[in-house]
Amino acid sequence: MDAPATASGVLHRYAPGLIAFEHTPAAPATTTPAETAETEGNSNSGSSANYLLFVGGLGDGLFTVPIASRLLALPQWRLVEVLTSSSYAGWGVGSVQRDAEELAQCVKYFRDRDGAAKVVLMGHSTGSQDTLQYLMNSNTPDNSTPKLDGAILQSPVSDREAIITSTPKTAYLTSMNFASAWVKNGQGSEVIPRDMRPGFESTPISAERWCSLAAPLDTATGNPQGMEDFFSSDLSDETLKATFGRLPGETRVLVLYGGADEFVPAYVDKAKLVERWTKVCGEAGVTVDEAAGVVEGATHTLKDVPEPVWADFVGRVNGFLGRVLAA
């Protein structure tokens, strides 16, 4: 199923230069025309439902991820696709920290519209890195980042492992040595040459962002060098404690890993990886939802998967949101 060519809803300017699109909910089959009109009219009220904020991955923007179109009929929830400065090609000169700070503005915007509404942040692909960074930011003493009622990590794959698997070793190492040298020389914000960003030649990428995405493990310490290397399968438990172990205990978390995700190397044991994350969260007092796990048959974006896979995926999301409401 492809993303829609058109959609109805409300466009919000949640901060200067930053927008979010609130979809008009899909009407259930039994809804009358009058009820449908009332539902659409409530989209401006800010008090008719709770908000599921959706942020995509590298290169994503409005209507680019088919998952969003399957989440329009969730009871009591409105789907909002959020654009940040990193949307579309902007990610190449951005960072997950900048994304998390902008997402905090978006959460505050919707909190201010209706203080009683629940707010859940759902990250797809690299949007999951944004979501994890947001959660870590929200668990700091200064309370500058608004709390979430829930968070969903969907297709939280390792960019480093995906890049290494799809790139010739010599090209990968050459690009990393080049980008690392630029960072060390104070040129981290500058865009590296096309041939130094294999697989991403069409996107301007800074040396700093390329290192953040793809830097190898430190051979001396075994620690990640990439600032957003949160989901690689070779990370130590101690490293995971510094990320998954820092999440706020009051925010329920759902992890949905695609069983057929084409960006995950064949050597990765997906179920074991999710179990490791869940274990670290549990030891830190973080509630990982009962629906978390591997969605069998799910590809990275779930495009063209069979209906039973969609049903499993949407059912897990719906169940999770129901438990967020009940909390």
Side-chain angles (χ1 to χ4, degrees), residues 60-102:
D60 285 325
L62 291 180
F63 316 145
T64 61
V65 185
I67 292 167
S69 63
R70 290 287 187 136
L71 301 177
L72 302 182
L74 298 172
Q76 302 181 66
W77 292 87
R78 290 188 180 276
L79 179 72
V80 180
E81 292 193 66
V82 183
L83 296 187
T84 67
S85 299
S86 293
S87 297
Y88 302 108
W91 65 268
V93 292
S95 68
V96 293
Q97 181 60 40
R98 184 185 71 179
D99 295 346
E101 291 171 358
E102 292 180 356

Side-chain angles (χ1 to χ4, degrees), residues 187-314:
Q187 298 172 272
S189 62
E190 297 183 25
V191 173
I192 57 178
R194 287 169 56 89
D195 59 348
M196 289 296 110
R197 46 183 199 263
F200 299 90
E201 290 84 359
S202 63
T203 303
I205 304 174
S206 69
E208 197 168 59
R209 187 67 197 262
W210 187 243
C211 289
S212 180
L213 280 170
L217 288 180
D218 187 308
T219 55
T221 65
N223 295 326
Q225 298 184 88
M227 295 298 292
E228 58 196 274
D229 191 355
F230 299 150
F231 304 132
S232 295
S233 62
D234 56 2
L235 300 180
S236 68
D237 288 344
E238 288 304 310
T239 296
L240 295 180
K241 289 177 182 177
T243 53
F244 284 91
R246 284 179 49 203
L247 308 188
E250 64 269 32
T251 302
R252 180 179 289 268
V253 177
L254 174 64
V255 179
L256 295 176
Y257 209 102
D261 195 314
E262 62 272 28
F263 294 107
V264 179
Y267 61 79
V268 174
D269 186 328
K270 303 176 184 71
K272 183 177 179 181
L273 184 58
V274 175
E275 288 174 4
R276 289 184 65 209
W277 297 343
T278 301
K279 182 175 182 291
V280 170
C281 285
E283 291 173 348
V286 179
T287 300
V288 177
D289 192 76
E290 61 197 59
V294 177
V295 181
E296 295 300 335
T299 56
H300 195 64
T301 66
L302 280 84
K303 182 179 181 180
D304 298 329
V305 299
E307 283 302 316
V309 178
W310 273 117
D312 182 15
F313 175 81
V314 175

Side-chain angles (χ1 to χ4, degrees), residues 15-255:
L18 298 172
I19 61 172
F21 184 79
E22 177 188 348
H23 287 265
T24 298
T30 56
T31 301
T32 67
E35 290 171 330
T36 300
E38 180 181 358
T39 298
E40 292 177 349
N42 283 341
S43 63
N44 283 315
S45 68
S47 59
S48 60
N50 306 286
Y51 297 106
L52 176 60
L53 308 183
F54 183 89
V55 59
L58 303 183
D60 285 325
L62 291 180
F63 316 145
T64 61
V65 185
I67 292 167
S69 63
R70 290 287 187 136
L71 301 177
L72 302 182
L74 298 172
Q76 302 181 66
W77 292 87
R78 290 188 180 276
L79 179 72
V80 180
E81 292 193 66
V82 183
L83 296 187
T84 67
S85 299
S86 293
S87 297
Y88 302 108
W91 65 268
V93 292
S95 68
V96 293
Q97 181 60 40
R98 184 185 71 179
D99 295 346
E101 291 171 358
E102 292 180 356
L103 289 168
Q105 294 179 73
C106 188
V107 172
K108 182 179 184 302
Y109 171 86
F110 283 100
R111 290 279 194 209
D112 289 345
R113 284 173 63 82
D114 183 2
K118 300 274 189 176
V119 178
V120 168
L121 179 60
M122 180 177 187
H124 159 71
S125 191
T126 306
S128 293
Q129 276 124 273
D130 292 341
T131 302
L132 196 70
Q133 185 65 58
Y134 186 106
L135 290 171
M136 289 189 286
N137 290 357
S138 71
N139 196 27
T140 55
D142 64 7
N143 292 318
S144 60
T145 300
K147 299 290 186 182
L148 296 168
D149 297 292
I152 302 175
L153 308 179
Q154 188 271 320
S155 292
V157 305
S158 164
D159 286 311
R160 167 167 63 87
E161 290 182 326
I163 290 170
I164 289 176
T165 302
S166 62
T167 306
K169 184 175 181 179
T170 299
Y172 168 73
L173 293 176
T174 300
S175 74
M176 289 313 312
N177 289 336
F178 185 93
S180 297
W182 273 30
V183 171
K184 290 178 182 177
N185 290 334
Q187 298 172 272
S189 62
E190 297 183 25
V191 173
I192 57 178
R194 287 169 56 89
D195 59 348
M196 289 296 110
R197 46 183 199 263
F200 299 90
E201 290 84 359
S202 63
T203 303
I205 304 174
S206 69
E208 197 168 59
R209 187 67 197 262
W210 187 243
C211 289
S212 180
L213 280 170
L217 288 180
D218 187 308
T219 55
T221 65
N223 295 326
Q225 298 184 88
M227 295 298 292
E228 58 196 274
D229 191 355
F230 299 150
F231 304 132
S232 295
S233 62
D234 56 2
L235 300 180
S236 68
D237 288 344
E238 288 304 310
T239 296
L240 295 180
K241 289 177 182 177
T243 53
F244 284 91
R246 284 179 49 203
L247 308 188
E250 64 269 32
T251 302
R252 180 179 289 268
V253 177
L254 174 64
V255 179

